Amino acid sequence: MARLKFPTIFCKQIPKLPYSNPIKENLLHKPQTQGDGFPNSVFGFFRRLLSGNRVDGGSRTEEEEKVYSWLYALAQSEKDLVFEYVRSTERGLSFTEAERRLGESGPNVPLDYSFPGWWHFLWVAFFHPFNIILIVLSALSYVTSDSPNGCIMLVLVFISVSLRFCQEYSSSKAAMKLSEFVRCPVKVQRCAGRVVQTELVVQVDQRDVVPGDIVIFEPGDLFPGDVRLLSSKHLVVSQASLTGESWTTEKTADIKEDRSTPLLDLKNICFMGTNVISGSGTGLVVSTGSKTYMSTMFLTMGKKKPPDDFENGVRRISYVVVAVMLVVVIIIIVTAYLSSHILSGSVLFGISVASALTPQMLPLIVNTSLAKGALAMAKDRCIVKSTTAIRDMGSMDILCIDKTGTLTMNRAIMVGHLDSWGLPKDEVLHYAFLNSFFKTDQKYPLDDAILAYVYTNGYRFQPSKWRKVDEIPFDFIRRRVSVILEVDAAEERNQHFHGKFLITKGALEEVMRVCSFVEHVDRGEITTFSPEDYQRILGMSEGISNEGLRVIGVATKRLETKTTTNERGNYYETTESDMVFLGLITFFDPPKDSAKQALWRLAKKGIKAKVLTGDSLSLAIKVCTEVGIRTTDVVTGPELELLQQDKFHATVKRATVLARLTPTQKLRVVQSLQTVGGHIVGFLGDGVNDSLALDAANVGISVDSGASVAKDFSDIILLEKDLNVLVAGVEHGRLTFGNTMKYIKMSVIANIGSIISLLIASLVLYNEPLTPRQLLTQNFLYSIGQIAIPWDKMEEDYVKIPQKWSEKGLPMFIVWNGPVCTLCDVAALVFICFYYKARTIEDIKFFHSAWFIEGLLMQTLIIHLIRTEKIPFIQEFASWPVICSTVVISAIGISISFTPIGTVMGFVSLPLSYLGFLVVLFIGYFSIGQVVKRIYILVYKRWL
């Protein structure tokens, strides 16, 4: 994966920067106690060493705690004290001081990204234990003049390394898309002059902003760092780059916050990367570069991936194989040398045995299985960036979902039109329709929803009878839009619609703010808008919001004919006043039709769904109820912040809906599920705020329409927002995992069993059971036959539940099933030696021929016993590619002794009685193996 180089947010011992002071250091560090001496530091080192730096998500990191403490301290402080904290003044920094601080702290860049070179990926692909084993054996083969065997092993290494290198190199584009944050001009107030200092407003690049600078911002500006507001006027900020949610946040300088306020809800703090929607103000830059809140978010990129249990398991297998190889090969070489007294021949035979013991095809089989799975998922409109994610999807047992656009259609649908008493009234809809129909400044989804509702339900409001006079467009300060309409002259006879009308709709609180009257439609009268009416409507709105619906208000006013358009600001204030409140329009973002079915299918496959969203809790509960997600255990981000570590883990484990989460809280939830819960976690998200969780999850899933950052850090990209595609991906993942485990278990059992049999035969015969050439040919034919395994099928019961790598599973599997292979080989040895009396040097060719066929058939047929819990060839058949491979390799092995090639290799023709014996032998092998299989399943409750 690509490497991210981050500057340290705060060092363990903070250096004395020109703009630092003891106050700031006291805010960030607790005074050291007497106990923090040498013994404690030593014990702490060993605790960290043994813990392996596990990140469980239950608490914030040290860097995060420092940033949180710093920002909260500034939010709780008066403006004068804030200047003292950062060693600045109300006039700003001098140019000399700003340049000096820039030299000390470096450019204002949240992180420094660099791609690793191609050689890095080549080295990672090459440095695999089995590749090293094969290269060593290949070198020894060339030394002992066994060039064909050495060439074969090098080809296998080349294929495996090439496949992995191409996959990893092509999926290494996880670059942070932060260029839009670091290349924009910023207005900064600086002071100049030696005797009399003058305040100047200059433009500097964002990279040159330093702590202590006073920035001036207007609509459209990005905040160049974490900023403590000094002044503000109707300031509205979008924090979508941090939260991923579309709503805006009002900010104000004239407030002192307290610690109970969530960090992103602080009114007097603006964060790096967020932008101004409306309003203006000034602010003091308190953190830049790596010390900002944004940097603490992205600091974890590429560092929080959980260990790959499969890769670690394969490596442990390789170490076991190497240990067994060293012991067995040394014994075999010594035995062969004592019987032949030819050192070169004995070493060559030992190398051949080592080659046979090595699962040479493992890297190839694994990569082929993953590539096949990637192709299959591509047909289901999934782009697989990291092929190992396919295997992890087979093990995934928890899927965390961001609600927006995944469970819902991500568009508004109008639900109802209510008067101030909560009763459906067409007049409310009529005026809302006219407002949406005639507004031209900018159409919003809510306008489209109102128009669609009117047209599809057969209302005939006849907008042609109205004429637009003027429009007061929407802005984020007023949060409402108004149109001025008048009735055509031909309709003047209709006294109900006489003259000019102002029709306003927008945020409920803002609409009610300009209302002095309320209409009682049933009674046909207008009364004063009393405080009781205000509270009643607010309570009704809260109840509707708790049902997951969005609410806007509608109001109207009959204008006097002499209304003039003065200065636009006065026009707003005088016109949008003393209005009549009509009622509410409600909207809903409906769940997708496919979401409920897909979640049900995932649940049937043992995957639990958890919703992690930045939306409100009421909206999340509404959507989850619609799609069938249990909502009895819910929690919000601010509530999680108050929990101790143990309580945090317990709450995360229990909760199914987690709302109002910040990006770092999503990350902590994923880490908690992984480390404490022991789950394989998938995360589906499409926003910038999901990037942390996508990077940390075992399987990061995004959509083609998602943010570029989210797609870069995901492992799988869906070309359409449909959870049913994930169901197919899970099936492919479990199929890939199962076929890989087939080969691993089968090859380790067959190879170890065969080598122990070779050792026993060598001790009994005082001679080589097979020549090096024969042994390598047998191993080559067996390896070729296993290439069809990725095209095998899995039983239905296997793909119904998540499949995980078991550390103890493989050793116990070998202990139970390995002796069955050795027992079969020993039975063949006894039969050949005593029935055919092939125990002398003169009969060694007959022994070689018989042992060669038996060993090859054993290793070829074992796949059919291992691949299924059922009885092979009776209750369950392998796929056609595997059956064909078995037939072809078995036919070659049986017929080779009857061909000229067999003569060259030192084989002789075998009697038909031996072939009959092999039939009986393998019937017995499958019978005993099936009995052992059933007992093993009863004990361990699983097979593969």
Side-chain angles (χ1 to χ4, degrees), residues 824 828 831-832 836 849-855 857-858 861 893-894 910-926:
C824 185
F831 183 79
I832 296 170
Y836 293 108
S849 303
W851 188 266
F852 175 87
I853 294 177
E854 186 275 337
L857 293 180
M858 166 66 68
L861 293 173
I894 293 172
L910 296 172
L912 294 178
S913 60
Y914 181 71
L915 298 180
F917 163 75
L918 291 180
V919 173
V920 176
L921 177 68
F922 287 118
I923 290 176
Y925 167 70
F926 277 100

Side-chain angles (χ1 to χ4, degrees), residues 521-540:
V521 180
D522 288 341
R523 293 181 293 180
E525 61 182 29
I526 296 175
T527 61
T528 302
F529 198 41
S530 65
E532 291 77 13
D533 292 326
Y534 187 89
Q535 293 300 324
R536 185 187 72 253
I537 295 172
L538 275 184
M540 181 175 62

Side-chain angles (χ1 to χ4, degrees), residues 799-836:
V799 297
K800 285 182 179 178
I801 59 174
Q803 303 296 333
K804 298 181 181 180
W805 178 277
S806 174
E807 294 184 3
K808 299 180 180 179
L810 185 59
M812 297 309 300
F813 195 88
I814 296 172
V815 169
W816 279 73
N817 295 276
V820 180
C821 297
T822 303
L823 179 64
C824 185
D825 289 335
V826 171
L829 173 66
V830 172
F831 183 79
I832 296 170
C833 290
F834 289 95
Y835 184 80
Y836 293 108

Side-chain angles (χ1 to χ4, degrees), residues 410-456:
N410 201 21
R411 61 184 177 89
I413 291 181
M414 182 178 157
V415 178
H417 41 94
L418 311 174
D419 65 4
S420 59
W421 296 89
L423 300 176
K425 296 299 177 184
D426 289 348
E427 185 179 4
V428 179
L429 177 61
H430 188 181
Y431 282 106
F433 167 79
L434 292 175
N435 179 287
S436 297
F437 184 87
F438 283 102
K439 63 169 289 195
T440 57
D441 181 64
Q442 185 175 0
K443 291 288 186 181
Y444 288 96
L446 298 185
D447 296 308
D448 296 333
I450 293 173
L451 297 177
Y453 183 88
V454 170
Y455 294 144
T456 56

Side-chain angles (χ1 to χ4, degrees), residues 388-427:
T388 56
I390 301 174
R391 186 178 60 231
D392 289 333
M393 283 194 74
S395 304
M396 180 175 68
D397 56 353
I398 286 184
L399 177 63
C400 299
I401 306 170
D402 180 24
K403 176 194 71 65
T404 306
T406 304
L407 297 178
T408 63
M409 295 182 180
N410 201 21
R411 61 184 177 89
I413 291 181
M414 182 178 157
V415 178
H417 41 94
L418 311 174
D419 65 4
S420 59
W421 296 89
L423 300 176
K425 296 299 177 184
D426 289 348
E427 185 179 4

Side-chain angles (χ1 to χ4, degrees), residues 487-498:
V487 184
D488 274 351
E491 298 296 325
E492 287 288 338
R493 291 170 297 177
N494 188 340
Q495 297 301 316
H496 185 67
F497 296 115
H498 176 72

Side-chain angles (χ1 to χ4, degrees), residues 435-736:
N435 179 287
S436 297
F437 184 87
F438 283 102
K439 63 169 289 195
T440 57
D441 181 64
Q442 185 175 0
K443 291 288 186 181
Y444 288 96
L446 298 185
D447 296 308
D448 296 333
I450 293 173
L451 297 177
Y453 183 88
V454 170
Y455 294 144
T456 56
N457 287 277
Y459 289 98
R460 298 183 180 275
F461 291 138
Q462 299 177 321
S464 59
K465 296 182 179 181
W466 295 81
R467 185 176 65 85
K468 179 179 176 182
V469 178
D470 199 358
E471 177 176 350
I472 306 175
F474 178 89
D475 63 61
F476 284 95
I477 298 175
R478 294 165 39 254
R479 293 196 297 163
R480 57 183 180 264
V481 58
S482 298
V483 293
I484 300 176
L485 306 178
E486 68 176 359
V487 184
D488 274 351
E491 298 296 325
E492 287 288 338
R493 291 170 297 177
N494 188 340
Q495 297 301 316
H496 185 67
F497 296 115
H498 176 72
K500 293 181 180 179
F501 287 85
L502 174 70
I503 304 173
T504 300
K505 77 174 191 301
L508 180 62
E509 296 85 351
E510 300 299 329
V511 171
M512 289 196 297
R513 186 176 299 173
V514 296
C515 290
S516 301
F517 307 95
V518 60
E519 182 174 5
H520 298 268
V521 180
D522 288 341
R523 293 181 293 180
E525 61 182 29
I526 296 175
T527 61
T528 302
F529 198 41
S530 65
E532 291 77 13
D533 292 326
Y534 187 89
Q535 293 300 324
R536 185 187 72 253
I537 295 172
L538 275 184
M540 181 175 62
S541 171
E542 183 177 350
I544 294 173
S545 298
N546 289 336
E547 296 178 0
L549 301 181
R550 183 174 177 180
V551 178
I552 64 172
V554 181
T556 186
K557 174 183 178 182
R558 181 171 292 173
L559 299 177
E560 297 295 333
T561 308
K562 296 181 180 180
T563 301
T564 58
T565 56
N566 303 334
E567 184 182 347
R568 179 59 72 176
N570 291 333
Y571 188 48
Y572 287 176
E573 296 174 5
T574 58
T575 304
E576 290 182 334
S577 61
D578 296 329
M579 300 188 70
V580 179
F581 184 82
L582 295 181
L584 314 173
I585 302 292
T586 60
F587 303 88
F588 181 49
D589 184 6
K592 292 180 178 178
D593 295 334
S594 61
K596 188 171 185 178
Q597 178 191 14
L599 291 171
W600 177 76
R601 293 175 63 191
L602 288 171
K604 284 190 66 177
K605 294 187 178 299
I607 299 177
K608 297 179 181 179
K610 290 180 180 286
V611 173
L612 278 59
T613 179
D615 286 335
S616 65
L617 181 60
S618 58
L619 181 57
I621 291 176
K622 171 68 175 179
V623 173
C624 291
T625 303
E626 292 283 340
V627 298
I629 296 178
R630 182 171 53 87
T631 58
T632 53
D633 294 304
V634 298
V635 68
T636 63
E639 292 171 348
L640 286 177
E641 284 293 320
L642 302 177
L643 300 179
Q644 297 295 326
Q645 188 167 347
D646 293 341
K647 187 67 174 177
F648 177 92
H649 295 312
T651 303
V652 167
K653 178 181 179 181
R654 183 179 64 253
T656 55
V657 180
L658 299 94
R660 295 185 63 198
L661 296 183
T662 65
T664 52
Q665 287 172 336
K666 291 183 179 181
L667 170 66
R668 292 172 58 200
V669 169
V670 170
Q671 291 171 344
S672 173
L673 293 171
Q674 289 170 331
T675 56
V676 179
H679 298 287
I680 304 299
V681 181
F683 187 92
L684 175 58
D686 57 2
V688 176
N689 61 316
D690 298 320
S691 300
L692 293 175
L694 285 169
D695 184 63
N698 300 87
V699 186
I701 309 165
S702 188
V703 293
D704 186 43
S705 59
S708 58
V709 177
K711 290 188 288 186
D712 284 338
F713 281 100
S714 62
D715 302 305
I716 295 174
I717 298 177
L718 308 182
L719 296 183
E720 54 187 54
K721 292 183 178 181
D722 189 353
L723 290 176
N724 284 292
V725 177
L726 284 183
V727 179
V730 168
E731 294 174 350
H732 292 310
R734 292 178 185 177
L735 178 64
T736 300

